[in-house]
């Protein structure tokens, strides 16, 4: 919730406390009446103001300056708007994962690399046992050599660029369509009751089922691929946004109503920001569905004016009965999905959780 809603809703005529304990109790009572100050009651119910400098602050990983600011805000003889803002900022900082924010966690790099090395070694060990012929189960070096050949022929670059471009464009258009639809369904009960089951059914329906219909409607063109991507991503994004809206505390809407927000302002400035965690989960799932739908469409719809993507490369390996091409295409599809998660959704989700004080104690 933005600070302007919380600070403006604080009565100006509140009597100024005269003692440290009274100040903390006053702040706790304001938080109960809609002030939205987290943990104020816990701070007010502590044994004394001097305990604020003790081990709880050190255990949370907070900086000494932050603890001093909170302590000063609680022990002042006046609790005006500026004091409340300073207290909220201090509490938010104490709840955030400040200790991990200022250092590089090398385990996030070394552990995935170690896991990848172990998998490659297991793969090579299985190939060396000779259970299957090398043309059926190629080794890591065979696949790496095939990747070098595809790079030299410029097929690898063309396939990755074509699929990545289609996936990103299709996903962004899906977001532009699904976001207003999701907000509308989440806000209007009759529409949600009418179309909610249909949206859930479309999410369950495998996207590959749309490929034959799309080929008949649009032919062997890029429109076929984009249509399949839309049908895979849009339902997931809509359901994720609706789920995020359902988890919003009712006090948020009441505060917006008291401040005179209309339905559009309520949806854009209050509902959507508050529903970001669920919305982001829907976006991640929507991207996963769109990427899978894209691969299915590229494998089935081959020829015409459709460009050469990773799905086409995979199908080419099947036609040629060349498992090195098949394995190379599978690894490229997997690699693109992992990079999108690590470079796009992972940092966004981590920043969102940190800003809301939800990273402390997590395994991220």
């Amino acid at each position: 919730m933005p600070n302007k809603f919380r600070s403006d809703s604080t009565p100006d005529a509140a009597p100024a406390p005269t003692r440290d304990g009274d100040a903390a109790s006053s702040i706790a009572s304001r938080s109960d009446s809609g002030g939205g100050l987290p943990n104020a009651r816990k701070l007010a119910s502590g044994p004394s103001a001097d305990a604020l400098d003790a081990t709880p602050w050190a255990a949370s990983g907070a900086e000494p300056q932050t603890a001093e600011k909170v302590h000063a805000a609680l022990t002042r003889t006046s609790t005006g708007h500026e004091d409340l803002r300073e207290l909220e900022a201090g509490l938010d900082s104490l709840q955030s994962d400040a200790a991990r924010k200022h250092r590089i966690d090398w385990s996030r790099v070394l552990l995935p690399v170690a896991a990848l090395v172990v998998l490659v070694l297991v793969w090579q060990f299985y190939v060396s046992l000779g259970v299957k012929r090398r043309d059926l189960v190629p080794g890591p070096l065979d696949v790496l050599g095939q990747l070098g050949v595809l790079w030299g022929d410029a097929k690898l670059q063309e396939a990755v660029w074509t699929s990545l471009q289609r996936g990103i464009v299709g996903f962004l258009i899906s977001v532009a369509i699904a976001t207003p639809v999701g907000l509308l369904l989440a806000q209007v009960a009759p529409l949600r009751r009418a179309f909610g089951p249909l949206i859930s059914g479309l999410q369950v329906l495998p996207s590959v089922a749309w490929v034959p219909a799309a080929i008949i409607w649009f032919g062997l063109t890029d429109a076929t691929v984009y249509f399949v991507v839309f049908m895979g991503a849009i339902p997931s994004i809509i359901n994720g946004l609706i789920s995020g809206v359902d988890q919003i505390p009712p006090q948020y809407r009441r505060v917006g109503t008291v401040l005179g927000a209309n339905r559009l302002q309520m949806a854009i400035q209050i509902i959507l920001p508050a529903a970001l965690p669920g919305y982001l989960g829907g976006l991640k799932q929507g991207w996963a569905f769109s990427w899978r739908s894209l691969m299915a469409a590229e494998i089935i719809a081959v020829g015409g004016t459709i460009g050469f993507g990773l799905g086409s490369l995979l199908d080419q390996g099947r036609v040629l009965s060349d498992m090195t091409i098949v394995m190379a295409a599978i690894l490229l599809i997997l690699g693109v999905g992992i990079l999108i998660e690590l470079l796009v959704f992972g940092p966004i989700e981590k920043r969102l959780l940190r800003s809301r004080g939800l990273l402390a104690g997590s395994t991220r």
Side-chain angles (χ1 to χ4, degrees), residues 3-318:
N3 285 340
K4 63 178 182 180
F5 294 116
R6 289 184 286 191
S7 61
D8 292 342
S9 62
T10 304
D12 294 331
T18 57
R19 295 189 306 275
D20 295 351
D22 294 337
S25 302
S26 175
I27 293 174
S29 64
R30 295 188 184 199
S31 65
D32 293 339
S33 62
L37 298 178
N39 293 338
R41 177 173 294 278
K42 294 180 182 179
L43 293 173
S45 60
S48 65
D50 296 334
L52 293 173
D53 294 328
T55 55
W57 308 118
S60 64
E63 298 180 356
Q65 295 85 352
T66 303
E68 292 175 2
K69 289 181 180 179
V70 176
H71 181 238
L74 283 173
T75 55
R76 285 195 188 125
T77 58
S78 173
T79 54
H81 290 175
E82 295 298 328
D83 299 332
L84 292 177
R85 291 194 186 97
E86 184 177 349
L87 177 57
E88 290 179 32
L91 291 173
D92 291 341
S93 177
L94 289 173
Q95 287 183 335
S96 65
D97 199 13
R100 286 196 286 180
K101 184 166 59 175
H102 299 293
R103 62 184 177 86
I104 298 177
D105 190 357
W106 289 104
S107 64
R108 298 181 182 276
V109 179
L110 298 179
L111 289 179
V113 172
L116 180 61
V117 171
V118 170
L119 290 176
V120 171
L121 292 177
V122 171
W123 179 11
Q124 180 60 47
F125 176 74
Y126 177 78
V127 171
S128 64
L129 292 178
V131 179
K132 294 287 186 179
R133 301 197 313 265
R134 294 293 289 267
D135 59 330
L136 296 179
V137 183
L141 295 180
D142 300 327
V143 176
L144 183 61
Q146 183 63 57
L147 287 173
V149 173
L150 293 173
W151 179 274
D153 296 338
K155 285 187 176 181
L156 188 150
Q157 300 92 312
E158 179 185 0
V160 172
W161 171 248
T162 301
S163 295
L164 193 59
Q165 182 182 19
R166 287 171 174 169
I168 293 176
V169 172
F171 176 71
L172 292 178
I173 297 176
S174 300
V175 172
I177 296 174
T179 301
V181 174
L183 284 174
L184 185 63
L185 293 179
Q187 295 289 93
V188 182
L191 291 178
R192 179 173 180 179
R193 291 167 186 167
F195 295 100
L198 177 61
I199 298 298
S200 298
L202 290 175
Q203 183 178 2
V204 175
L205 179 67
S207 301
V208 68
W210 291 105
V211 177
I215 293 176
I216 295 174
W217 290 338
F218 306 107
L220 295 176
T221 63
D222 286 343
T224 296
V225 177
Y226 284 118
F227 176 79
V228 177
V229 170
F230 297 157
M231 299 308 296
I234 290 177
S236 299
I237 299 174
I238 292 176
N239 279 337
L241 180 54
I242 292 176
S243 177
V245 172
D246 289 342
Q247 299 175 16
I248 299 176
Q251 292 85 352
Y252 283 50
R253 292 184 176 88
R254 295 172 188 170
V255 170
T257 302
V258 169
L259 295 177
N262 55 36
R263 295 184 70 90
L264 182 61
Q265 292 173 332
M266 182 80 73
I268 296 178
Q269 300 182 14
I270 298 178
I271 300 300
L272 185 59
L276 279 180
Y279 181 44
L280 182 59
L283 291 178
K284 291 177 62 176
Q285 191 175 39
W287 165 255
F289 274 72
S290 65
W291 187 244
R292 291 161 54 184
S293 304
L294 175 62
M295 294 302 105
E298 288 182 348
I299 291 173
I300 298 176
V302 180
T305 60
I306 296 180
F308 187 81
L310 288 173
S312 305
L313 179 64
L314 184 60
D315 184 69
Q316 184 183 79
R318 178 192 65 83

